[in-house]
Amino acid sequence: MAEVVKKPQKTTAKRFIEFLGSMELAITLLSALAVASVIGTILQQNQSYNDYILKFGPFWFDVFEKIALYDVYAAIWFLSILGFLILSTSVCVYRNAPVFLREARHFRTNVQLKSLQTFKHQHQWQLEKSAEELVPMAAAFFNYLGLKSKSEAGEGFQLIAAKKGGINRWGYILTHMGVIIICIGALFDSKIPMMVSEWSGNLKPETRNISASEVPDISRIAPGNASFRGNVQVPEGGKANIVFLNVRDGYVVQELPFAIELKDFRVEHYSTGAPKSFESDLLIHDDQLEKPLAATIAVNHPLLYRGFALYQASFADGGSKLDLNLWSLVDKPGTVISKKTAIFKNFSFTATGETLSAEMIDFRLFNINDVLQQDGTTQQTNIGPSITFKIRDASGVAKEFVNYMLPVTTEGVTSYLSGVRSDPTQPFQYLHLPVAEGGVDRFMQLLAKLADEKVVETAAIETVGRTMGKALLKNEDLAADISGSMLNLVALFLSGGYEAVVNDVKARVPEDKQQEVIETYLKLLQSVIGTVYETMLNAEGQKSLQESDWLWFDMALQALNTLPYYGAPLYVEMKSFEHIQAAGIQITKSPGQNIVYFGCVLLMIGVFFLFYINPIRYWLWLDQQNGKTRILLAGVSHRHTRDFEKQFDKAVEVFDSALNRERGE
Amino acid sequence: MSATEKQMFEELQKPGLLSQISVKDGAWFALVFAAVLSTLVFYSSIMDGYEVGILIGIGVLTAFVGWYWKSSVIFAISVGVISLFAIWLYGDSLAAGEQNFLLKFLLASQSAFAWMGALFFLATATYFLGLIANSEFALNTASRLTWIASGFGFIGLMVRWRESYLFNPEYGHIPVSNLYEVFIMFCIITGLMYLYYEAIYKNKNAGGFVLLVISAAVGFIFWYESRGAADIKPLVPALQSYWMKIHVPANFVGYGAFAMSAMLAIAYLLKDKFSENKIIQRLPELQMIDDIMYKAIALGFAFFTIATILGAMWAAEAWGGYWSWDPKETWALIVWLNYAAWLHMRLTKGWRGVPMAWWSIIGLFVTLFAFLGVNMFLSGLHSYGEL
């Protein structure tokens, strides 16, 4: 009974090992790994969780998060597939390697005559010479073919077995060992230790946007950590002794045993404006050093220091100083106050009784855009510096703006550009302010005049006088009436553009007369504003207006038309800046790297052995038959059977000629 | 007695290494050596250690390939001489490309690529003509056309290399930096690889099938050119590395070999299916196609392994980690896993024939996605060739 119970148990374990080492499992795992890997390439990994929620909606976001689709390659199930693959490969090597090695050494002298006779490649001779006499010749023959041979005498026969290319079997072992070693090396560099300390509660990723020094200890890792890959941004003149490691939607702070100071960051450009090189001059401060170590890193040229590798990864603004003009558009249009601030700083201001805050987000020295040329083609051109900022109202709703410092020519028209959007996924809508000497001043001056009732009134009366005759204005009531409605018209236009004027007419005038009235109103509006503009220029000493001045005026009207929808109570003009950059530095510690490379070397050598060393075996069987010695030559090759066929025929030819000589003697 | 028997085989001259090298081979080695040496003498002052290493490596490889595959010697010498001649015609001015007749219509990179494309189209048609009309002459002509087409492509790349420096010394780089340039390399490598196997197996009937995939690539190149892809552009900082010179070509030996095996697989399946059709039966015997398929995949796999490893080493230097699960890296792994599985099934399970043929066709689609699809549909670190 006991035996009966014991036996199946043993076979179950054995069968399990067999299953683990089986080709079927290995192929299944290979396929599973390939399919799983695809997911991570289709779904962009490690994005902000907000983006995923927007993309998938709350329900699917939760489902996908549960199965760790946002960081597939660190997911338990993915690592399990990988783990099983390593296990399966290891078992396979463990089971097969001894067999293969024995086979590689072994000459297979236990072969039977009957099986040799079934070989595809074989040849027979007969000779009147004893088998013993032929043995040395056979050995010499195999030696000539470059094979190692072994002779054995059996009952009534002599067998010489020969082989070559046994190292092919090593190819199998080296490739599989290579893969296992690569995976082990990668394990050293993986996120697994960090995941373990997270599960055991020793580490909790930080998700708040706080400064590094405020991050609590539970989200920090001491400098001793054996392997990591993190990033830090250092502004010019600044120092950092930590890096951030991304963990899903948060991060942890990895402390470094030294500090990096960024002395200077440089971007060089090609003549097209495309970047040519990124370089950072670093100073490493370390207690172990007598004086700080100076080094320059660039893309493709990292710095290796104490087992850490420092890479030039990215760049950003490091808090550029800005000198701005804030032009009021609403409260006191056309008035200006100057403001000194910097990127990453906020300031608040009041407009129409509301307190708003402006957040300076980014400064860019170069903007390489596709610009339409006069010949109709687009060309990549640098359109100069820009700032990105947000204006946030009291309820927290923000609009994002991008303002260019220099006039930009798009579609043949040169203007100051200010882009605005409420939704970060949408493209910017642009306000074009016409260019005149001294920047936006002239436009702002015009805006100020239009906000001044007296000025508009005077212009209105002048316009009416010019078009309908001075006599009409002698009637004071009528004059007041006309100037009053003109003021209304201008105010309406400034608050809502042409659309407001049109809507106003549509609300008040019967349908059949609307078109006519609208045309009259718009004409009047343009000539009143034109008069304001002309008066303004005359006052400046410019007596007659040129065509270019009227072109400017057309653009100004367009700008005034869109201004009500601009969305900000002020226009931010960039007067000057001091560019301060920050370098994004990636720091890694990767103790597994050399192990991985070692595995790679094994893999490469193994692949070569497997495919380009062809194992072949020959046997020469000598026995007595009808008083003569029968000689049977048989050969076999694992692969490249076509090549072997030629080799075998050649061998037969050589041996045949040797035998002929022997007969001749 | 036994002494004389031993002598017998010794007299037969062992096929030692030296005896396998003819006078011609010796001359070839001397030529390659002289070329490498003179390059070193004239230009080592502007080369760094890695570049010197790569140059010597290429010298050894060229010498070996010429010894192993004799026909390639004439090809290599022709490409070398004509490229140097074209570069000499250019002198120091890119404008010569428009003024010099030979450059404008034959040897300037754009003309050479146009010739390459046209000749590959012609070779494809001629191979099929040879197969259908059972004409030895047509097949031999097709083979020569393929040689010349590959030569034009190769010369074009060499000339383009020089042109990039003439265009703007700052822009100068080896032309394997974007999708357009590597597609041309794909055509050349696939063409040459096919010519090698064709010579070894002494059968040209399947040539049209392999040339079809090259023609498709040429079609893509022409379309891509019409979108301005042929413009010489400066290298982004990440690509300014000696690694590019070895990582990219090694990859394309892999891609070329995989593409070739898939096209032969189509020939295999047709021959297997239409056993009555006279024309199709002229294709090489099934076992031969199967054998070339295996050899191509083994070669491709070996090079793809090397290329991926080199890529990992480059990534460690440029991106700060030897593996980042970047889409291109991941797809390279998928391609590698696919062919690893293919080879396992063939070598250990002994699978042959129809299923393996289908598998290698599927493999081409996987490879194609890794090579093209990733650039088109996925974004990542490898964004050098957007469509």
Side-chain angles (χ1 to χ4, degrees):
Chain A
M1 263 305 270
E3 244 182 67
V4 178
V5 177
K6 212 176 173 183
K7 229 178 175 177
Q9 265 183 350
K10 205 177 170 186
T11 36
T12 312
K14 218 174 167 186
R15 273 167 70 185
F16 181 66
I17 292 284
E18 245 166 53
F19 165 73
L20 271 183
S22 71
M23 182 63 59
E24 285 77 9
L25 180 69
I27 296 291
T28 312
L29 288 170
L30 281 182
S31 318
L33 187 65
V35 172
S37 300
V38 173
I39 300 171
T41 67
I42 292 168
L43 178 61
Q44 264 202 325
Q45 299 288 290
N46 293 308
Q47 303 291 299
S48 104
Y49 275 23
N50 280 332
D51 290 356
Y52 290 129
I53 294 176
L54 281 175
K55 210 184 240 169
F56 303 122
F59 176 75
W60 287 110
F61 168 80
D62 269 353
V63 174
F64 291 166
E65 198 203 349
K66 289 248 157 57
I67 51 175
L69 286 195
Y70 309 130
D71 194 4
V72 169
Y73 306 115
I76 306 297
W77 58 268
F78 187 84
L79 292 172
S80 310
I81 298 177
L82 215 56
F84 264 105
L85 193 63
I86 301 173
L87 186 66
S88 154
T89 315
S90 307
V91 170
C92 178
V93 172
Y94 171 77
R95 280 178 60 223
N96 292 323
V99 181
F100 281 0
L101 287 180
R102 212 179 310 131
E103 214 175 76
R105 273 197 310 271
H106 206 257
F107 279 92
R108 288 207 205 151
T109 44
N110 54 351
V111 74
Q112 303 289 314
L113 178 65
K114 268 188 188 158
S115 69
L116 286 182
Q117 281 169 332
T118 62
F119 276 38
K120 191 182 165 201
H121 303 293
Q122 51 160 308
H123 198 93
Q124 270 199 41
W125 293 271
Q126 288 200 330
L127 203 70
E128 289 170 351
K129 225 164 212 186
S130 77
E132 286 73 17
E133 275 181 286
L134 284 169
V135 170
M137 178 184 151
F141 167 67
F142 286 131
N143 184 35
Y144 163 75
L145 290 178
L147 278 79
K148 282 183 182 155
S149 63
K150 190 183 176 191
S151 164
E152 247 182 47
E155 245 175 82
F157 69 90
Q158 276 279 339
L159 179 71
I160 300 109
K163 66 177 178 67
K164 189 166 107 172
I167 209 163
N168 170 282
R169 287 304 193 183
W170 274 96
Y172 160 82
I173 296 168
L174 289 177
T175 43
H176 290 78
M177 288 298 286
V179 168
I180 296 168
I181 290 171
I182 289 170
C183 292
I184 291 171
L187 207 66
F188 279 105
D189 295 340
S190 71
K191 289 179 181 170
I192 291 173
M194 212 162 80
M195 286 158 74
V196 170
S197 43
E198 210 187 321
W199 292 327
S200 59
N202 295 325
L203 189 71
K204 189 173 161 281
E206 179 60 67
T207 49
R208 290 168 297 169
N209 194 0
I210 51 176
S211 79
S213 56
E214 293 168 39
V215 173
D217 280 348
I218 188 81
S219 307
R220 300 177 88 91
I221 302 178
N225 188 6
S227 104
F228 62 83
R229 185 169 174 182
N231 284 283
V232 66
Q233 263 186 21
V234 192
E236 285 173 316
K239 264 190 205 177
N241 59 357
I242 50 130
V243 286
F244 296 96
L245 316 181
N246 290 326
V247 185
R248 297 187 303 278
D249 62 335
Y251 60 90
V252 295
V253 169
Q254 167 70 55
E255 290 164 1
L256 300 173
F258 52 84
I260 320 154
E261 183 183 348
L262 179 67
K263 300 298 286 181
D264 188 27
F265 173 77
R266 289 177 300 275
V267 187
E268 278 179 50
H269 294 265
Y270 291 110
S271 50
T272 57
K276 183 181 171 191
S277 75
F278 305 109
E279 280 180 12
S280 293
D281 290 340
L282 302 180
L283 216 49
I284 308 289
H285 299 273
D286 189 342
D287 293 341
Q288 294 188 4
L289 293 168
E290 279 181 20
K291 62 179 176 97
L293 172 76
T296 300
I297 57 170
V299 179
N300 275 316
H301 300 281
L303 166 71
L304 301 177
Y305 176 70
R306 282 179 67 183
F308 296 83
L310 285 71
Y311 302 89
Q312 174 65 56
S314 62
F315 67 97
D317 195 85
S320 291
K321 290 177 183 160
L322 304 169
D323 197 354
L324 306 177
N325 269 341
L326 307 179
W327 295 92
S328 171
L329 299 174
V330 181
D331 282 351
K332 283 176 261 167
T335 58
V336 64
I337 45 170
S338 67
K339 179 86 196 169
K340 282 191 195 306
T341 182
I343 297 300
F344 306 131
K345 285 202 172 147
N346 302 343
F347 60 85
S348 54
F349 60 94
T350 52
T352 54
E354 195 185 7
T355 303
L356 301 144
S357 79
E359 303 162 5
M360 299 294 127
I361 294 169
D362 195 14
F363 170 84
R364 293 179 67 173
L365 187 58
F366 295 102
N367 284 282
I368 316 294
N369 283 23
D370 281 328
V371 173
L372 195 67
Q373 304 293 301
Q374 286 190 327
D375 61 0
T377 59
T378 58
Q379 202 180 339
Q380 295 222 310
T381 314
N382 176 20
I383 57 172
S386 69
I387 47 168
T388 307
F389 58 95
K390 277 186 179 166
I391 292 181
R392 197 177 293 279
D393 66 18
S395 61
V397 179
K399 280 197 166 83
E400 188 184 350
F401 295 85
V402 55
N403 284 15
Y404 291 84
M405 183 174 177
L406 304 171
V408 174
T409 305
T410 49
E411 289 163 19
V413 181
T414 306
S415 59
Y416 288 99
L417 276 188
S418 173
V420 57
R421 62 182 176 191
S422 318
D423 179 350
T425 61
Q426 295 299 309
F428 282 104
Q429 305 280 322
Y430 288 95
L431 171 71
H432 295 254
L433 294 187
V435 177
E437 301 154 39
V440 292
D441 296 36
R442 181 178 285 182
F443 178 79
M444 292 302 168
Q445 206 186 339
L446 178 63
L447 196 63
K449 297 272 182 213
L450 293 176
D452 187 335
E453 287 195 2
K454 281 227 172 66
V455 174
V456 176
E457 212 172 77
T458 316
I461 287 169
E462 203 191 315
T463 310
V464 173
R466 207 167 46 209
T467 49
M468 305 182 194
K470 294 244 177 351
L472 200 67
L473 292 171
K474 292 202 173 117
N475 183 338
E476 278 186 17
D477 284 349
L478 191 61
D481 204 23
I482 290 171
S483 66
S485 58
M486 283 294 156
L487 276 174
N488 273 341
L489 193 60
V490 170
L492 204 59
F493 176 62
L494 289 182
S495 69
Y498 292 130
E499 205 185 325
V501 177
V502 170
N503 287 342
D504 180 60
V505 172
K506 281 186 178 164
R508 291 192 295 114
V509 178
E511 208 165 314
D512 55 330
K513 292 205 174 144
Q514 278 175 6
Q515 200 55 35
E516 197 186 327
V517 175
I518 287 170
E519 271 170 33
T520 315
Y521 269 35
L522 292 187
K523 235 179 239 170
L524 270 172
L525 181 69
Q526 284 176 10
S527 36
V528 172
I529 299 175
T531 308
V532 172
Y533 172 60
E534 209 170 348
T535 318
M536 186 178 95
L537 288 192
N538 288 344
E540 279 175 17
Q542 193 178 334
K543 291 299 169 204
S544 66
L545 270 62
Q546 310 296 314
E547 199 194 331
S548 62
D549 292 318
W550 288 117
L551 272 174
W552 186 95
F553 177 68
D554 286 342
M555 279 194 68
L557 278 180
Q558 279 305 318
L560 288 170
N561 180 37
T562 45
L563 204 55
Y565 305 99
Y566 179 51
L570 47 73
Y571 173 77
V572 177
E573 182 192 17
M574 202 188 339
K575 261 164 49 187
S576 67
F577 60 85
E578 186 190 330
H579 191 201
I580 297 171
Q581 302 182 82
I585 298 173
Q586 183 173 114
I587 300 181
T588 64
K589 206 172 174 192
S590 157
Q593 182 164 320
N594 288 329
I595 303 175
V596 169
Y597 288 175
F598 175 67
C600 289
V601 171
L602 293 190
L603 178 61
M604 279 205 277
I605 297 173
V607 164
F608 179 78
F609 283 176
L610 259 184
F611 296 139
Y612 297 101
I613 304 276
N614 187 20
I616 53 173
R617 288 179 186 277
Y618 279 92
W619 290 269
L620 201 68
W621 182 281
L622 305 164
D623 62 3
Q624 294 294 312
Q625 211 175 34
N626 313 327
K628 287 181 177 174
T629 302
R630 172 175 60 175
I631 308 167
L632 175 69
L633 179 71
V636 69
S637 152
H638 263 312
R639 27 200 104 97
H640 312 315
T641 42
R642 294 181 64 87
D643 302 345
F644 183 68
E645 210 163 279
K646 278 189 216 153
Q647 276 181 40
F648 187 80
D649 291 347
K650 178 87 184 149
V652 168
E653 203 181 299
V654 168
F655 197 70
D656 197 48
S657 67
L659 286 181
N660 281 337
R661 282 190 180 196
E662 198 82 342
R663 288 193 187 102
E665 266 187 24
Chain B
M1 190 58 189
S2 66
T4 52
E5 279 154 0
K6 260 189 187 168
Q7 274 168 10
M8 221 162 56
F9 290 105
E10 276 155 17
E11 278 162 21
L12 268 168
Q13 265 206 356
K14 270 198 152 182
L17 203 64
L18 268 179
S19 64
Q20 290 181 40
I21 293 169
S22 66
V23 179
K24 271 189 184 172
D25 292 329
W28 167 242
F29 290 163
L31 182 68
V32 173
F33 183 75
V36 170
L37 195 69
S38 52
T39 311
L40 283 177
V41 167
F42 290 121
Y43 301 108
S44 64
S45 58
I46 50 168
M47 294 166 82
D48 64 23
Y50 297 107
E51 284 166 332
V52 171
I54 291 170
L55 175 68
I56 293 170
I58 286 172
V60 172
L61 194 71
T62 312
F64 173 78
V65 171
W67 168 76
Y68 190 76
W69 182 24
K70 308 289 183 217
S71 319
S72 72
V73 169
I74 304 160
F75 179 81
I77 293 175
S78 314
V79 166
V81 168
I82 298 172
S83 303
L84 285 173
F85 175 64
I87 289 165
W88 174 77
L89 283 179
Y90 259 117
D92 285 327
S93 127
L94 194 62
E98 286 297 316
Q99 292 150 6
N100 186 292
F101 179 83
L102 271 181
L103 287 179
K104 189 172 179 184
F105 293 105
L106 208 62
L107 297 176
S109 64
Q110 287 310 299
S111 321
F113 294 150
W115 279 106
M116 176 197 82
L119 289 170
F120 270 133
F121 282 149
L122 197 60
T124 313
T126 317
Y127 266 120
F128 277 117
L129 183 75
L131 174 68
I132 293 162
N134 198 15
S135 154
E136 191 83 355
F137 173 76
L139 289 173
N140 288 337
T141 309
S143 200
R144 278 187 207 110
L145 286 172
T146 309
W147 274 111
I148 299 170
S150 307
F152 265 113
F154 213 134
I155 292 165
L157 283 183
M158 302 293 257
V159 173
R160 186 180 166 91
W161 196 347
R162 175 67 186 160
E163 282 169 353
S164 68
Y165 281 90
L166 292 175
F167 185 68
N168 185 336
E170 278 194 326
Y171 291 11
H173 61 266
I174 186 169
V176 292
S177 70
N178 58 35
L179 205 55
Y180 173 73
E181 292 164 345
V182 296
F183 249 96
I184 289 161
M185 195 167 62
F186 170 82
C187 295
I188 303 167
I189 288 178
T190 313
L192 290 177
M193 213 172 333
Y194 169 70
L195 286 170
Y196 171 76
Y197 285 111
E198 179 188 271
I200 292 292
Y201 286 85
K202 298 187 177 62
N203 194 320
K204 296 183 167 133
N205 279 315
F209 289 89
V210 178
L211 267 280
L212 263 184
V213 74
I214 301 179
S215 287
V218 168
F220 175 84
I221 290 168
F222 286 168
W223 170 80
Y224 204 26
E225 248 173 39
S226 70
R227 302 189 41 170
D231 297 351
I232 291 171
K233 292 199 182 89
L235 283 184
V236 299
L239 287 181
Q240 296 165 8
S241 167
Y242 57 91
W243 285 108
M244 186 175 78
K245 294 186 173 109
I246 39 182
H247 167 66
V248 181
N251 246 318
F252 277 82
V253 175
Y255 288 144
F258 296 150
M260 188 173 92
S261 82
M263 297 316 283
L264 289 171
I266 294 173
Y268 186 101
L269 292 173
L270 284 177
K271 176 140 181 168
D272 184 67
K273 175 109 186 170
F274 300 101
S275 51
E276 301 298 310
N277 188 309
K278 256 191 191 162
I279 293 170
I280 286 173
Q281 286 311 307
R282 281 188 209 123
L283 287 169
E285 22 169 325
L286 288 175
Q287 201 219 328
M288 185 192 279
I289 304 180
D290 188 71
D291 213 41
I292 309 178
M293 257 165 58
Y294 159 71
K295 281 192 175 165
I297 286 184
L299 179 78
F301 185 77
F303 271 88
F304 201 76
T305 307
I306 294 172
T308 309
I309 291 171
L310 291 174
M313 293 169 108
W314 185 7
E317 217 167 76
W319 300 333
Y322 50 83
W323 197 261
S324 312
W325 293 106
D326 167 68
K328 194 86 170 181
E329 279 178 352
T330 310
W331 274 94
L333 175 72
I334 293 165
V335 169
W336 191 86
L337 289 172
N338 174 55
Y339 287 106
W342 193 97
L343 287 164
H344 272 98
M345 287 324 247
R346 181 171 165 120
L347 295 179
T348 62
K349 290 275 157 184
W351 282 24
R352 294 281 192 284
V354 174
M356 297 309 265
W358 276 112
W359 194 343
S360 77
I361 292 169
I362 294 165
L364 179 65
F365 284 98
V366 178
T367 309
L368 201 66
F369 192 83
F371 168 21
L372 255 184
V374 172
N375 297 45
M376 286 165 74
F377 306 116
L378 309 173
S379 66
L381 297 164
H382 263 92
S383 305
Y384 307 126
E386 278 134 13
L387 288 171

